[in-house]
Amino acid sequence: MTNRRIFILNGCAGLAAATLGCMAWAEDRVALKEDEPLAKEFNYVIDAAKVDGHKFPDFKAGDRCSKCQIYEDGPNDMGGCAIFPGKLVAAGGWCSSFG
């Protein structure tokens, strides 16, 4: 009986530590800037309303990072993106790999 209690308490403590660790990691990331090389490579813009529809015919009104399949919710209208590791992208942003 004691071993089961210890196992459950250790499991809960581990889960709490993992959750807090992930939250701290999200806070350590910095916002991606449009002038960074990787951002330029993918034509990232902070405001999707500024996307040139003629230059990017696949862009549709309403497309934005927060609607992308690889966007991960984050703090303050920012989120993670697998294309830009270690950075936060604007929820209202857009890049040419939108999907």
Coordinates of all heavy atoms in Angstrom, one line a residue:
M1 N 0.8 -1.2 0.0 CA 0.0 0.0 0.0 C 0.9 1.3 0.0 O 0.6 2.2 -0.7 CB -0.9 0.0 1.2 CG -2.0 1.0 1.1 SD -3.3 0.6 -0.1 CE -4.7 0.5 0.9
T2 N 1.9 1.3 0.8 CA 2.8 2.4 0.9 C 3.5 2.7 -0.5 O 3.6 3.8 -0.9 CB 3.8 2.3 2.0 OG1 3.1 2.1 3.2 CG2 4.7 3.5 2.1
N3 N 3.9 1.6 -1.1 CA 4.6 1.7 -2.4 C 3.7 2.3 -3.5 O 4.2 3.1 -4.3 CB 5.1 0.4 -2.9 CG 6.3 -0.1 -2.0 OD1 7.0 0.7 -1.4 ND2 6.5 -1.4 -2.0
R4 N 2.4 2.0 -3.5 CA 1.5 2.5 -4.4 C 1.3 4.0 -4.2 O 1.3 4.8 -5.1 CB 0.2 1.8 -4.4 CG -0.7 2.3 -5.5 CD -2.1 1.6 -5.5 NE -2.1 0.3 -5.0 CZ -3.2 -0.3 -4.5 NH1 -4.4 0.4 -4.5 NH2 -3.2 -1.5 -4.0
R5 N 1.2 4.4 -2.9 CA 1.1 5.9 -2.6 C 2.3 6.6 -3.1 O 2.2 7.7 -3.6 CB 0.9 6.1 -1.1 CG -0.5 5.7 -0.7 CD -0.7 6.0 0.8 NE -1.9 5.4 1.3 CZ -2.0 4.8 2.5 NH1 -1.1 4.9 3.3 NH2 -3.2 4.3 2.8
I6 N 3.5 6.1 -2.8 CA 4.7 6.8 -3.2 C 4.8 6.9 -4.7 O 5.2 7.9 -5.2 CB 6.0 6.0 -2.6 CG1 6.0 6.2 -1.1 CG2 7.3 6.5 -3.2 CD1 7.0 5.4 -0.4
F7 N 4.4 5.8 -5.4 CA 4.5 5.8 -6.9 C 3.5 6.9 -7.4 O 3.9 7.7 -8.3 CB 4.0 4.4 -7.4 CG 3.9 4.4 -8.9 CD1 5.0 4.3 -9.7 CD2 2.7 4.4 -9.5 CE1 4.9 4.2 -11.0 CE2 2.5 4.4 -10.8 CZ 3.7 4.3 -11.6
I8 N 2.3 7.0 -6.9 CA 1.4 8.0 -7.3 C 1.8 9.4 -7.0 O 1.8 10.3 -7.9 CB 0.0 7.7 -6.7 CG1 -0.6 6.4 -7.4 CG2 -1.0 8.9 -7.0 CD1 -1.9 5.9 -6.7
L9 N 2.4 9.6 -5.8 CA 2.9 10.9 -5.5 C 4.1 11.3 -6.3 O 4.1 12.5 -6.8 CB 3.3 11.0 -4.0 CG 2.1 11.0 -3.0 CD1 2.7 10.9 -1.6 CD2 1.3 12.2 -3.1
N10 N 4.9 10.4 -6.6 CA 6.1 10.7 -7.5 C 5.6 11.0 -8.9 O 6.1 11.9 -9.6 CB 7.1 9.5 -7.5 CG 7.9 9.5 -6.2 OD1 8.0 10.5 -5.5 ND2 8.5 8.3 -5.9
G11 N 4.6 10.3 -9.4 CA 4.1 10.5 -10.7 C 3.4 11.9 -10.8 O 3.6 12.6 -11.8
C12 N 2.7 12.3 -9.8 CA 2.1 13.6 -9.8 C 3.1 14.7 -9.7 O 3.0 15.7 -10.4 CB 1.1 13.8 -8.6 SG -0.4 12.7 -8.8
A13 N 4.1 14.5 -8.9 CA 5.2 15.5 -8.8 C 6.0 15.6 -10.2 O 6.3 16.7 -10.6 CB 6.2 15.1 -7.7
G14 N 6.2 14.5 -10.8 CA 6.9 14.5 -12.1 C 6.1 15.2 -13.2 O 6.6 16.0 -14.0
L15 N 4.8 14.9 -13.2 CA 3.9 15.6 -14.1 C 3.8 17.1 -13.9 O 3.9 17.9 -14.9 CB 2.5 15.0 -14.0 CG 1.4 15.6 -15.0 CD1 1.8 15.3 -16.4 CD2 0.1 15.0 -14.7
A16 N 3.8 17.5 -12.7 CA 3.8 19.0 -12.4 C 5.1 19.6 -12.8 O 5.1 20.7 -13.4 CB 3.6 19.2 -10.9
A17 N 6.2 18.9 -12.5 CA 7.5 19.5 -12.9 C 7.6 19.6 -14.4 O 8.2 20.6 -15.0 CB 8.6 18.6 -12.4
A18 N 7.1 18.6 -15.2 CA 7.2 18.6 -16.6 C 6.3 19.8 -17.2 O 6.7 20.5 -18.1 CB 6.7 17.3 -17.2
T19 N 5.2 20.0 -16.6 CA 4.3 21.0 -17.0 C 4.9 22.4 -16.8 O 4.9 23.2 -17.7 CB 2.9 20.9 -16.3 OG1 2.4 19.7 -16.6 CG2 2.0 22.0 -16.8
L20 N 5.5 22.6 -15.6 CA 6.1 23.9 -15.3 C 7.3 24.1 -16.1 O 7.6 25.2 -16.6 CB 6.4 23.9 -13.8 CG 5.2 24.0 -12.9 CD1 5.7 23.9 -11.4 CD2 4.5 25.3 -13.1
G21 N 8.1 23.0 -16.4 CA 9.3 23.1 -17.3 C 8.9 23.6 -18.7 O 9.6 24.4 -19.3
C22 N 7.8 23.0 -19.2 CA 7.4 23.4 -20.6 C 6.9 24.8 -20.6 O 7.2 25.6 -21.6 CB 6.3 22.5 -21.0 SG 6.8 20.8 -21.4
M23 N 6.3 25.3 -19.5 CA 5.8 26.7 -19.5 C 7.0 27.6 -19.4 O 7.0 28.6 -20.1 CB 4.9 26.9 -18.3 CG 3.5 26.2 -18.5 SD 2.5 26.2 -17.0 CE 2.3 27.9 -16.6
A24 N 8.0 27.2 -18.7 CA 9.2 28.1 -18.5 C 9.9 28.1 -19.9 O 10.4 29.2 -20.3 CB 10.1 27.6 -17.4
W25 N 10.0 27.0 -20.6 CA 10.6 27.0 -21.9 C 9.9 27.9 -22.9 O 10.5 28.6 -23.6 CB 10.7 25.5 -22.4 CG 11.3 25.4 -23.8 CD1 12.6 25.5 -24.0 CD2 10.6 25.2 -25.0 NE1 12.8 25.4 -25.4 CE2 11.6 25.2 -26.0 CE3 9.3 25.1 -25.4 CZ2 11.3 25.0 -27.3 CZ3 9.0 24.9 -26.7 CH2 10.0 24.8 -27.7
A26 N 8.6 27.9 -22.8 CA 7.8 28.8 -23.7 C 8.1 30.2 -23.5 O 8.2 31.0 -24.4 CB 6.3 28.5 -23.6
E27 N 8.3 30.6 -22.2 CA 8.6 31.9 -21.9 C 10.0 32.4 -22.3 O 10.2 33.5 -22.5 CB 8.4 32.1 -20.4 CG 6.9 31.9 -19.9 CD 6.0 32.9 -20.5 OE1 6.3 34.1 -20.7 OE2 4.8 32.5 -20.8
D28 N 10.9 31.4 -22.4 CA 12.3 31.7 -22.8 C 12.4 32.1 -24.3 O 13.4 32.7 -24.7 CB 13.2 30.6 -22.4 CG 13.4 30.4 -20.9 OD1 13.1 31.4 -20.2 OD2 13.9 29.4 -20.5
R29 N 11.5 31.7 -25.1 CA 11.6 31.9 -26.5 C 11.3 33.4 -26.8 O 10.6 34.0 -26.1 CB 10.6 31.0 -27.3 CG 10.9 29.6 -27.1 CD 10.0 28.7 -27.9 NE 8.7 28.7 -27.3 CZ 7.6 28.1 -27.8 NH1 7.7 27.4 -28.9 NH2 6.5 28.1 -27.1
V30 N 12.0 33.9 -27.9 CA 11.8 35.3 -28.2 C 11.0 35.4 -29.5 O 10.9 34.4 -30.3 CB 13.2 36.0 -28.4 CG1 13.9 36.1 -27.1 CG2 14.0 35.3 -29.4
A31 N 10.4 36.5 -29.8 CA 9.6 36.7 -31.0 C 10.5 36.7 -32.2 O 11.5 37.3 -32.2 CB 8.8 38.0 -30.9
L32 N 10.0 36.1 -33.2 CA 10.6 36.1 -34.5 C 10.5 37.4 -35.2 O 9.4 38.0 -35.2 CB 10.0 35.0 -35.4 CG 10.6 34.9 -36.8 CD1 12.0 34.4 -36.8 CD2 9.7 33.9 -37.7
K33 N 11.5 38.0 -35.7 CA 11.5 39.3 -36.4 C 11.5 39.0 -37.9 O 12.1 38.1 -38.4 CB 12.7 40.1 -36.0 CG 12.6 40.5 -34.5 CD 13.9 41.3 -34.2 CE 13.8 41.6 -32.7 NZ 15.1 42.0 -32.2
E34 N 10.8 39.9 -38.6 CA 10.7 39.7 -40.1 C 12.0 39.8 -40.8 O 12.1 39.3 -41.9 CB 9.7 40.8 -40.6 CG 8.3 40.6 -40.2 CD 7.3 41.7 -40.7 OE1 7.8 42.6 -41.4 OE2 6.1 41.6 -40.5
D35 N 13.0 40.5 -40.2 CA 14.2 40.6 -40.9 C 15.2 39.5 -40.7 O 16.4 39.6 -41.2 CB 14.9 42.0 -40.6 CG 15.2 42.2 -39.1 OD1 14.8 41.3 -38.3 OD2 15.8 43.2 -38.8
E36 N 14.9 38.5 -39.9 CA 15.8 37.4 -39.7 C 15.8 36.5 -40.9 O 14.9 36.4 -41.6 CB 15.3 36.6 -38.5 CG 15.4 37.4 -37.1 CD 14.9 36.5 -36.0 OE1 15.3 35.3 -35.9 OE2 14.3 37.1 -35.1
P37 N 17.0 35.9 -41.2 CA 17.2 35.1 -42.4 C 16.1 34.1 -42.6 O 15.6 33.9 -43.7 CB 18.6 34.5 -42.3 CG 19.3 35.5 -41.3 CD 18.3 36.0 -40.4
L38 N 15.8 33.3 -41.6 CA 14.8 32.2 -41.8 C 13.5 32.8 -42.0 O 12.7 32.2 -42.8 CB 14.9 31.3 -40.5 CG 14.1 30.0 -40.7 CD1 14.6 29.2 -41.9 CD2 14.2 29.1 -39.4
A39 N 13.1 33.9 -41.4 CA 11.9 34.5 -41.6 C 11.8 35.0 -43.0 O 10.7 34.9 -43.7 CB 11.7 35.7 -40.6
K40 N 12.8 35.6 -43.5 CA 12.9 36.1 -44.9 C 12.7 34.9 -45.9 O 12.0 35.0 -46.9 CB 14.1 36.8 -45.2 CG 14.2 38.2 -44.6 CD 15.5 38.9 -45.0 CE 15.6 40.3 -44.4 NZ 16.8 40.9 -44.8
E41 N 13.3 33.8 -45.6 CA 13.3 32.6 -46.4 C 11.8 32.1 -46.6 O 11.4 31.7 -47.7 CB 14.1 31.5 -45.9 CG 14.2 30.2 -46.7 CD 15.1 29.2 -46.1 OE1 16.0 29.5 -45.3 OE2 14.9 28.0 -46.5
F42 N 11.0 32.2 -45.6 CA 9.6 31.8 -45.6 C 8.7 32.9 -45.7 O 7.5 32.8 -45.5 CB 9.3 30.9 -44.4 CG 9.9 29.6 -44.4 CD1 11.2 29.3 -43.8 CD2 9.3 28.5 -45.1 CE1 11.8 28.1 -43.9 CE2 9.9 27.3 -45.2 CZ 11.1 27.0 -44.5
N43 N 9.2 34.1 -46.1 CA 8.3 35.3 -46.3 C 7.4 35.6 -45.1 O 6.3 36.0 -45.3 CB 7.5 35.1 -47.6 CG 8.4 34.9 -48.7 OD1 9.2 35.7 -49.1 ND2 8.3 33.7 -49.3
Y44 N 7.9 35.4 -43.9 CA 7.1 35.6 -42.7 C 6.8 37.1 -42.5 O 7.7 38.0 -42.7 CB 7.9 35.1 -41.4 CG 7.3 35.5 -40.1 CD1 6.2 34.8 -39.7 CD2 7.9 36.5 -39.3 CE1 5.6 35.2 -38.4 CE2 7.3 36.8 -38.1 CZ 6.2 36.2 -37.7 OH 5.6 36.5 -36.5
V45 N 5.6 37.4 -42.1 CA 5.2 38.7 -41.8 C 4.4 38.6 -40.5 O 3.7 37.7 -40.2 CB 4.3 39.4 -42.8 CG1 5.1 39.7 -44.1 CG2 3.0 38.6 -43.2
I46 N 4.6 39.7 -39.6 CA 3.9 39.7 -38.3 C 2.4 39.9 -38.5 O 1.6 39.4 -37.7 CB 4.6 40.7 -37.4 CG1 6.0 40.3 -37.1 CG2 3.8 41.0 -36.2 CD1 6.8 41.4 -36.4
D47 N 2.0 40.6 -39.5 CA 0.6 41.0 -39.7 C 0.2 40.4 -41.1 O 0.6 40.9 -42.1 CB 0.4 42.5 -39.7 CG -1.0 42.9 -39.8 OD1 -1.9 42.1 -39.9 OD2 -1.2 44.2 -39.8
A48 N -0.7 39.4 -41.1 CA -1.1 38.7 -42.3 C -1.9 39.7 -43.2 O -1.9 39.5 -44.4 CB -2.0 37.5 -42.0
A49 N -2.4 40.8 -42.7 CA -3.1 41.8 -43.5 C -2.2 42.4 -44.5 O -2.6 43.0 -45.5 CB -3.8 42.8 -42.7
K50 N -0.8 42.3 -44.3 CA 0.1 43.0 -45.1 C 0.6 42.1 -46.3 O 1.5 42.5 -47.0 CB 1.3 43.5 -44.3 CG 1.0 44.5 -43.3 CD 2.2 45.0 -42.5 CE 1.8 46.0 -41.5 NZ 2.9 46.4 -40.7
V51 N 0.1 40.9 -46.3 CA 0.6 39.9 -47.4 C 0.1 40.4 -48.7 O -1.1 40.7 -48.9 CB 0.1 38.5 -47.1 CG1 0.4 37.5 -48.2 CG2 0.6 38.0 -45.7
D52 N 1.0 40.4 -49.7 CA 0.7 40.7 -51.1 C 0.0 39.5 -51.8 O 0.7 38.5 -52.1 CB 1.9 41.2 -51.8 CG 1.7 41.6 -53.2 OD1 0.6 41.5 -53.7 OD2 2.7 42.1 -53.9
G53 N -1.3 39.6 -52.0 CA -2.0 38.5 -52.6 C -1.5 38.2 -54.0 O -1.7 37.0 -54.5
H54 N -1.0 39.2 -54.7 CA -0.5 38.9 -56.1 C 0.8 38.2 -56.1 O 1.1 37.3 -56.9 CB -0.3 40.3 -56.8 CG -1.6 41.0 -57.0 ND1 -2.6 40.6 -57.9 CD2 -2.1 42.1 -56.5 CE1 -3.6 41.4 -57.9 NE2 -3.3 42.4 -57.0
K55 N 1.7 38.5 -55.1 CA 2.9 37.8 -55.0 C 2.8 36.4 -54.4 O 3.5 35.5 -54.8 CB 3.9 38.6 -54.0 CG 5.3 38.1 -53.9 CD 6.1 39.0 -53.1 CE 7.5 38.5 -53.0 NZ 8.4 39.4 -52.1
F56 N 1.7 36.2 -53.6 CA 1.5 34.9 -53.0 C 0.0 34.5 -53.3 O -0.9 34.7 -52.4 CB 1.7 34.9 -51.5 CG 3.1 35.3 -51.1 CD1 3.4 36.6 -50.7 CD2 4.1 34.4 -51.2 CE1 4.7 37.0 -50.3 CE2 5.4 34.7 -50.9 CZ 5.7 36.0 -50.5
P57 N -0.2 33.9 -54.5 CA -1.6 33.6 -54.9 C -2.3 32.6 -54.0 O -3.5 32.5 -54.0 CB -1.5 33.1 -56.3 CG 0.0 32.8 -56.5 CD 0.7 33.6 -55.5
D58 N -1.5 31.8 -53.3 CA -2.1 30.8 -52.4 C -2.7 31.4 -51.1 O -3.5 30.8 -50.4 CB -1.1 29.7 -52.0 CG -0.7 28.8 -53.2 OD1 -1.5 28.7 -54.1 OD2 0.3 28.2 -53.1
F59 N -2.3 32.6 -50.8 CA -2.8 33.3 -49.6 C -4.3 33.6 -49.8 O -4.7 34.1 -50.8 CB -2.0 34.6 -49.4 CG -2.6 35.4 -48.2 CD1 -2.3 35.1 -46.9 CD2 -3.4 36.5 -48.5 CE1 -2.8 35.8 -45.9 CE2 -3.9 37.3 -47.4 CZ -3.6 36.9 -46.1
K60 N -5.0 33.4 -48.8 CA -6.5 33.7 -48.8 C -6.8 34.6 -47.6 O -6.2 34.4 -46.5 CB -7.3 32.4 -48.7 CG -7.2 31.6 -49.9 CD -7.9 30.3 -49.8 CE -7.8 29.4 -51.0 NZ -6.4 29.0 -51.3
A61 N -7.6 35.5 -47.7 CA -8.0 36.4 -46.6 C -8.4 35.5 -45.4 O -9.2 34.6 -45.6 CB -9.1 37.3 -47.0
G62 N -7.9 35.9 -44.3 CA -8.2 35.1 -43.1 C -7.1 34.1 -42.7 O -7.1 33.6 -41.6
D63 N -6.2 33.8 -43.6 CA -5.1 32.9 -43.3 C -4.2 33.7 -42.3 O -3.9 34.8 -42.5 CB -4.3 32.6 -44.6 CG -4.9 31.6 -45.5 OD1 -6.0 31.1 -45.1 OD2 -4.4 31.4 -46.6
R64 N -3.8 32.9 -41.3 CA -2.8 33.5 -40.3 C -2.2 32.3 -39.5 O -2.8 31.2 -39.5 CB -3.5 34.5 -39.4 CG -4.7 34.0 -38.6 CD -5.3 35.1 -37.8 NE -6.5 34.6 -37.1 CZ -7.7 34.7 -37.6 NH1 -7.9 35.2 -38.8 NH2 -8.8 34.3 -36.9
C65 N -1.1 32.6 -38.9 CA -0.4 31.6 -38.1 C -1.3 30.7 -37.2 O -1.2 29.5 -37.1 CB 0.8 32.2 -37.4 SG 2.1 32.8 -38.4
S66 N -2.2 31.4 -36.5 CA -3.0 30.7 -35.5 C -3.9 29.7 -36.1 O -4.4 28.8 -35.4 CB -3.8 31.7 -34.6 OG -4.7 32.4 -35.5
K67 N -4.1 29.7 -37.4 CA -5.0 28.8 -38.1 C -4.1 27.7 -38.8 O -4.7 26.8 -39.4 CB -5.9 29.5 -39.2 CG -6.9 30.3 -38.5 CD -7.8 30.9 -39.6 CE -9.0 31.6 -39.0 NZ -9.9 32.1 -40.1
C68 N -2.8 27.8 -38.7 CA -1.9 26.8 -39.4 C -1.9 25.5 -38.6 O -2.0 25.5 -37.4 CB -0.5 27.4 -39.5 SG 0.6 26.4 -40.4
Q69 N -1.7 24.4 -39.3 CA -1.7 23.1 -38.6 C -0.5 22.9 -37.7 O -0.6 22.1 -36.7 CB -1.6 22.0 -39.7 CG -2.8 21.9 -40.6 CD -2.6 20.9 -41.7 OE1 -1.6 20.3 -41.8 NE2 -3.6 20.8 -42.6
I70 N 0.6 23.6 -37.9 CA 1.8 23.4 -37.0 C 2.0 24.5 -36.0 O 2.9 24.5 -35.3 CB 3.1 23.3 -37.9 CG1 3.3 24.5 -38.8 CG2 3.0 22.0 -38.7 CD1 4.6 24.4 -39.5
Y71 N 1.0 25.4 -35.9 CA 1.1 26.5 -34.9 C 0.7 25.9 -33.5 O -0.2 25.1 -33.3 CB 0.1 27.6 -35.2 CG 0.0 28.7 -34.2 CD1 0.9 29.7 -34.2 CD2 -1.0 28.8 -33.2 CE1 0.9 30.8 -33.3 CE2 -1.1 29.8 -32.3 CZ -0.1 30.8 -32.4 OH -0.2 31.8 -31.5
E72 N 1.5 26.3 -32.5 CA 1.3 25.9 -31.1 C 1.0 27.1 -30.3 O 1.7 28.1 -30.2 CB 2.6 25.2 -30.5 CG 3.1 24.1 -31.3 CD 4.5 23.7 -31.0 OE1 5.1 24.4 -30.0 OE2 5.0 22.8 -31.6
D73 N -0.2 27.1 -29.6 CA -0.6 28.3 -28.8 C 0.5 28.6 -27.8 O 1.2 27.7 -27.2 CB -1.9 28.0 -28.0 CG -3.1 28.0 -28.9 OD1 -3.1 28.8 -29.9 OD2 -4.1 27.4 -28.6
G74 N 0.6 29.9 -27.5 CA 1.6 30.4 -26.6 C 1.1 31.6 -25.9 O -0.1 32.0 -26.0
P75 N 2.0 32.3 -25.2 CA 1.6 33.5 -24.4 C 1.4 34.8 -25.3 O 2.1 34.9 -26.3 CB 2.8 33.7 -23.5 CG 3.9 33.2 -24.2 CD 3.4 32.0 -25.0
N76 N 0.5 35.6 -24.9 CA 0.4 37.0 -25.5 C 0.2 37.0 -27.0 O 1.0 37.7 -27.7 CB 1.6 37.8 -25.1 CG 1.8 37.9 -23.6 OD1 0.9 38.0 -22.8 ND2 3.1 37.8 -23.2
D77 N -0.7 36.3 -27.5 CA -1.0 36.2 -29.0 C 0.2 35.9 -29.8 O 0.4 36.3 -30.9 CB -1.5 37.6 -29.5 CG -2.9 37.9 -29.0 OD1 -3.7 36.9 -28.8 OD2 -3.3 39.0 -28.8
M78 N 1.1 35.0 -29.2 CA 2.3 34.5 -29.9 C 2.2 33.0 -29.7 O 1.5 32.5 -28.9 CB 3.5 35.0 -29.2 CG 3.7 36.5 -29.2 SD 3.9 37.2 -30.8 CE 5.6 36.9 -31.1
G79 N 2.9 32.3 -30.5 CA 2.9 30.8 -30.4 C 4.2 30.2 -31.1 O 4.9 30.9 -31.7
G80 N 4.3 28.9 -30.9 CA 5.5 28.2 -31.4 C 5.2 27.8 -32.8 O 4.0 27.6 -33.2
C81 N 6.2 27.5 -33.6 CA 6.1 27.0 -34.9 C 7.3 26.1 -35.2 O 8.4 26.4 -34.9 CB 6.1 28.1 -35.9 SG 6.0 27.5 -37.6
A82 N 7.0 24.9 -35.7 CA 8.1 23.9 -36.0 C 9.1 24.4 -37.0 O 10.2 24.0 -37.1 CB 7.5 22.6 -36.5
I83 N 8.7 25.4 -37.9 CA 9.6 25.9 -38.9 C 10.6 26.9 -38.3 O 11.7 27.0 -38.8 CB 8.8 26.6 -40.0 CG1 7.9 25.6 -40.7 CG2 9.7 27.4 -40.9 CD1 6.9 26.2 -41.7
F84 N 10.2 27.5 -37.2 CA 11.0 28.5 -36.5 C 11.3 28.1 -35.1 O 10.8 28.6 -34.1 CB 10.4 29.9 -36.5 CG 9.9 30.3 -37.9 CD1 8.6 30.4 -38.2 CD2 10.9 30.7 -38.9 CE1 8.2 30.8 -39.5 CE2 10.4 31.1 -40.1 CZ 9.1 31.2 -40.4
P85 N 12.2 27.0 -34.9 CA 12.4 26.5 -33.6 C 13.1 27.5 -32.6 O 13.9 28.3 -33.1 CB 13.3 25.3 -33.8 CG 13.9 25.5 -35.1 CD 12.9 26.4 -35.9
G86 N 12.6 27.6 -31.4 CA 13.1 28.5 -30.4 C 12.6 29.9 -30.5 O 13.0 30.8 -29.8
K87 N 11.7 30.1 -31.4 CA 11.1 31.4 -31.6 C 9.6 31.4 -31.4 O 9.0 30.3 -31.5 CB 11.4 31.9 -33.0 CG 12.8 32.0 -33.4 CD 13.5 33.2 -32.7 CE 14.9 33.4 -33.2 NZ 15.5 34.7 -32.8
L88 N 9.0 32.5 -31.2 CA 7.6 32.7 -31.1 C 7.1 33.5 -32.3 O 7.8 34.5 -32.7 CB 7.1 33.4 -29.9 CG 7.3 32.7 -28.5 CD1 7.1 33.7 -27.4 CD2 6.4 31.5 -28.4
V89 N 6.0 33.1 -33.0 CA 5.5 33.8 -34.1 C 4.2 34.4 -33.7 O 3.5 34.0 -32.8 CB 5.3 32.8 -35.3 CG1 6.6 32.3 -35.8 CG2 4.3 31.7 -35.0
A90 N 3.8 35.5 -34.4 CA 2.6 36.2 -34.1 C 1.4 35.4 -34.5 O 1.4 34.8 -35.6 CB 2.6 37.6 -34.8
A91 N 0.4 35.3 -33.7 CA -0.8 34.5 -34.0 C -1.4 35.1 -35.3 O -2.0 34.4 -36.1 CB -1.8 34.5 -32.9
G92 N -1.3 36.4 -35.5 CA -1.9 37.0 -36.6 C -0.9 37.2 -37.8 O -1.2 37.8 -38.8
G93 N 0.2 36.5 -37.7 CA 1.2 36.5 -38.8 C 0.9 35.5 -39.9 O -0.1 34.8 -39.9
W94 N 1.8 35.4 -40.8 CA 1.7 34.5 -41.9 C 3.1 34.2 -42.5 O 3.9 35.0 -42.5 CB 0.8 35.1 -43.0 CG 0.5 34.2 -44.1 CD1 -0.5 33.2 -44.2 CD2 1.2 34.1 -45.4 NE1 -0.4 32.6 -45.4 CE2 0.6 33.1 -46.2 CE3 2.3 34.8 -45.9 CZ2 1.0 32.8 -47.5 CZ3 2.7 34.5 -47.2 CH2 2.1 33.5 -47.9
C95 N 3.2 33.0 -43.1 CA 4.4 32.7 -43.9 C 4.0 31.8 -45.0 O 2.9 31.3 -45.1 CB 5.5 32.1 -43.0 SG 5.4 30.3 -42.8
S96 N 4.9 31.7 -46.0 CA 4.6 31.0 -47.2 C 4.4 29.5 -47.1 O 4.0 28.8 -48.0 CB 5.7 31.3 -48.3 OG 7.0 30.9 -47.8
S97 N 4.7 29.0 -45.9 CA 4.5 27.5 -45.7 C 3.2 27.3 -45.0 O 2.9 26.2 -44.5 CB 5.6 26.9 -44.9 OG 5.7 27.4 -43.6
F98 N 2.3 28.3 -45.0 CA 1.0 28.1 -44.3 C 0.3 26.9 -44.8 O 0.2 26.6 -46.0 CB 0.1 29.4 -44.5 CG -1.2 29.3 -43.9 CD1 -1.5 29.6 -42.6 CD2 -2.3 28.8 -44.7 CE1 -2.7 29.5 -42.0 CE2 -3.6 28.7 -44.1 CZ -3.8 29.0 -42.8
G99 N -0.3 26.2 -43.8 CA -1.0 25.0 -44.2 C -2.0 24.5 -43.2 O -2.1 24.9 -42.1

